[in-house]
Amino acid sequence: MGYIPADSISKIYYFRVKLSAPSRRLPKIYTITIMSRQKKYLLQEDQIPTQWYNIQADMVNKPMPMLHPATREPMKAEDLYPIFPEECCRQELNTTDRWIDIPEEVLEKYKFYRATPLVRAYELEKALGTPARIYFKNESTNPQGSHKINSALPQCYYAKQEGTTNVTTETGAGQWGAALSYAASVFGLDAAVYQVKITLQQKPYRSILMRTFGAAVEGSPSMSTRAGKNILTVNPNHSGSLGTAISEAVELATTTPNCKYTLGSVLNHVTLHQTVIGLEAEKQMEMTGDYPDIVIACFGGGSNFGGIAFPFMRHNILDGKKTEFIAAEPASCPKLTRGEFRYDFGDEAGYTPLLPMFTLGHNFRPANIHAGGLRYHGAGTIVSQLIKDGLMHGVDIPQLESFEAGVLFARTEGIIPAPESCHAIAATIREAKKCKETGEEKVILFNLSGHGLIDMPSYNQYINGDLQNFEITDEEIKANLSEVPEI
């Protein structure tokens, strides 16, 4: 019998085998042990977390307050009530309660697709020749195809509870728009979605998915709002950004009776809802016998990163763990690695509160990369403070490197990842190669935030050699930041 590495033995199966024996003797029963490595780690429905984790309660340095855009005074929860569901506003500014109960109605809807699998990436490890042990949390298994539904359900639930009839939002690549459209239909709400114009053109099936769930979809910037008209007046060929789409969605929410705005990333309450990812992953990592040395996720506004990272980060803060946390952003939209910490608007028109964040400037026009969900100018306030405090850091990934990583992952693990998730895979591959050079057997956990089955035109362009990298110059960043308010 050949040698079996210890870390490949994860489950033991027992078989009772009856062997032939002389007729005058009773048959002997032998036990044969067969060893097999485990691929997926699954939780039962009764193991789904019943509370979200609020990292603000454990942060030594709390995020700086968001400011009212007119008065420049710190916002109170009631200042946000005209825009967001009231419970979301209270969660947004809650810096004291570590655990927030998940409503029973939301838990029941979570059971449609949660818990999601934790998977050991054996074939990716083999292809890289790395001693690192790589795991990924597979958030692509729900019917909408990404992690976004984790926050869409509670936001629509809270809106419904206070009597709202309409919700509006923005979306980049369309994962959030699809999730919000579904959640709105679940709770009987009418939904209007502003999708970034260039990604609506690049990913037409996303808008079809939204309309299938009953949402109205408009490419942004559009002529349907004052903000959209103003943007197109200055630049008739504007291809759109999350900043433009947010402006239009917020305007619609504030000018439509009984309508609330919902958001797919950036704000604290959104990331709070996503911590169900990391809380499940904690339980699943215990099943593996490993604990992550590195946690990685792609980064647009911070929701899926915080979702998987914050539950593990609390052990760094409270227990002295030394896990490294890496946010992988596009090289063409590098707010974490090349932006500045400023108070800035969350949208292009300046409708939102001023947020303390790492930013490229709210007027930043991102390149037309295919990771539409990562084309955002700023980082959430929690993540921005955590970067200042040295608890995490960002890396920037060129577009071609991200797709190269996605294709390798598809060919080894059999899953075609969303272009956004490819950035996390690329960062994981970088770390795994470092382990190959040093011989370190680090445990790497990354979040596969969504699948790419509606993004095949992007892969087609990559395979045909039609994609390119985009870089932003220091001069462009400086020019954009010059338009950020001085506070």
Side-chain angles (χ1 to χ4, degrees):
M1 180 176 177
Y3 170 71
I4 302 176
D7 67 355
S8 71
I9 304 172
S10 54
K11 184 173 287 187
I12 299 178
Y13 301 89
Y14 294 97
F15 296 86
R16 291 171 62 82
V17 182
K18 183 177 180 180
L19 302 180
S20 60
S23 59
R24 287 183 293 179
R25 297 183 181 181
L26 292 174
K28 294 182 179 180
I29 303 298
Y30 295 87
T31 298
I32 298 177
T33 300
I34 300 178
M35 291 167 286
S36 172
R37 64 186 188 180
Q38 188 168 343
K39 179 71 172 173
K40 298 189 299 295
Y41 297 86
L42 306 175
L43 300 177
Q44 299 302 311
E45 286 184 3
D46 61 2
Q47 295 175 290
I48 297 172
T50 59
Q51 295 176 307
W52 296 300
Y53 169 61
N54 179 17
I55 195 173
Q56 293 187 90
D58 290 327
M59 292 173 66
V60 176
N61 298 312
K62 311 294 186 187
M64 296 167 61
M66 64 173 65
L67 303 181
H68 194 286
T71 67
R72 307 294 169 92
E73 294 295 323
M75 299 282 286
K76 300 183 291 293
E78 51 267 32
D79 294 328
L80 298 170
Y81 288 171
I83 302 176
F84 301 102
E86 292 182 9
E87 180 57 28
C88 292
C89 300
R90 289 187 285 269
Q91 292 174 357
E92 181 69 23
L93 301 180
N94 188 330
T95 62
T96 57
D97 296 318
R98 180 179 296 162
W99 301 103
I100 307 293
D101 289 339
I102 302 174
E104 188 62 37
E105 294 88 341
V106 174
L107 273 175
E108 286 303 310
K109 300 306 179 185
Y110 275 179
K111 290 178 182 178
F112 279 44
Y113 62 97
R114 303 210 72 85
T116 59
L118 179 77
V119 186
R120 176 77 181 268
Y122 288 111
E123 295 305 311
L124 179 61
E125 294 171 14
K126 180 180 177 181
L128 297 173
T130 180
R133 297 191 292 282
I134 301 173
Y135 297 87
F136 62 94
K137 184 70 165 149
N138 190 356
E139 289 294 300
S140 76
T141 57
N142 77 73
Q144 283 68 49
S146 84
H147 71 290
K148 295 291 189 178
I149 190 64
N150 299 327
S151 186
L153 285 168
Q155 289 190 58
C156 285
Y157 167 77
Y158 291 132
K160 182 69 172 181
Q161 287 298 106
E162 63 183 59
T164 297
T165 58
N166 297 63
V167 289
T168 182
T169 196
E170 80 295 325
T171 191
Q175 288 99 328
W176 170 247
L180 189 279
S181 301
Y182 166 74
S185 70
V186 165
F187 291 108
L189 302 171
D190 290 330
V193 181
Y194 287 92
Q195 183 172 11
V196 174
K197 187 177 294 183
I198 185 62
T199 52
L200 188 149
Q201 297 166 358
Q202 292 172 337
K203 308 172 193 296
Y205 293 116
R206 295 278 187 204
S207 61
I208 295 172
L209 192 59
M210 297 175 224
R211 294 200 300 272
T212 299
F213 289 126
V217 184
E218 187 85 46
S220 178
S222 74
M223 295 298 288
S224 68
T225 66
R226 174 56 55 190
K229 291 175 182 176
N230 289 344
I231 292 167
L232 289 172
T233 298
V234 175
N235 185 350
N237 297 318
H238 201 303
S239 59
S241 69
L242 282 167
T244 68
I246 291 171
S247 294
E248 295 203 83
V250 170
E251 179 179 325
L252 184 66
T254 55
T255 58
T256 302
N258 215 21
C259 183
K260 289 296 174 73
Y261 170 62
T262 59
L263 187 66
S265 192
V266 183
L267 291 186
N268 303 339
H269 67 272
V270 185
T271 306
L272 171 75
H273 303 154
Q274 295 295 350
T275 58
V276 67
I277 302 171
L279 293 169
E280 284 183 2
E282 272 193 293
K283 298 178 182 180
Q284 291 163 313
M285 288 302 301
E286 288 178 7
M287 296 165 66
T288 73
D290 280 329
Y291 188 87
D293 297 298
I294 305 171
V295 175
I296 297 172
C298 64
F299 193 92
S303 70
N304 98 93
F305 172 82
I308 194 166
F310 289 176
F312 289 99
M313 194 178 291
R314 84 179 190 275
H315 298 299
N316 279 28
I317 296 171
L318 301 176
D319 307 325
K321 289 280 191 180
K322 301 297 183 183
T323 301
E324 181 181 3
F325 297 93
I326 302 175
E329 63 182 1
S332 60
C333 193
K335 59 263 187 179
L336 300 180
T337 55
R338 297 175 61 196
E340 292 186 8
F341 185 82
R342 300 274 197 94
Y343 267 102
D344 197 7
F345 294 106
D347 70 314
E348 184 161 334
Y351 289 159
T352 69
L354 286 155
L355 305 174
M357 60 184 181
F358 280 93
T359 179
L360 296 169
H362 61 277
N363 289 327
F364 172 68
R365 291 185 60 195
N368 294 333
I369 61 171
H370 283 270
L374 307 186
R375 298 170 68 247
Y376 186 63
H377 66 273
T381 62
I382 293 177
V383 167
S384 295
Q385 185 62 51
L386 292 170
I387 288 181
K388 288 179 65 180
D389 292 343
L391 289 167
M392 58 168 286
H393 65 94
V395 295
D396 51 57
I397 307 290
Q399 178 166 239
L400 295 182
E401 181 183 348
S402 72
F403 273 96
E404 180 184 7
V407 169
L408 176 62
F409 188 77
R411 293 176 180 177
T412 54
E413 296 298 324
I415 301 171
I416 297 175
E420 293 80 10
S421 303
C422 290
H423 291 71
I425 298 169
T428 297
I429 290 172
R430 287 184 182 182
E431 296 302 316
K433 287 181 176 179
K434 291 178 185 177
C435 290
K436 182 178 181 179
E437 295 173 358
T438 64
E440 295 175 282
E441 298 181 6
K442 289 186 176 181
V443 176
I444 305 173
L445 169 65
F446 75 89
N447 194 26
L448 181 68
S449 57
H451 68 62
L453 297 181
I454 305 183
D455 299 290
M456 298 318 297
S458 305
Y459 278 91
N460 186 52
Q461 285 189 270
Y462 171 73
I463 292 167
N464 290 339
D466 295 330
L467 293 187
Q468 64 185 27
N469 291 326
F470 295 93
E471 295 289 341
I472 181 172
T473 66
D474 292 338
E475 290 72 22
E476 289 173 309
I477 294 175
K478 184 177 180 180
N480 279 307
L481 289 173
S482 68
E483 300 181 33
V484 173
E486 291 289 341
I487 297 177

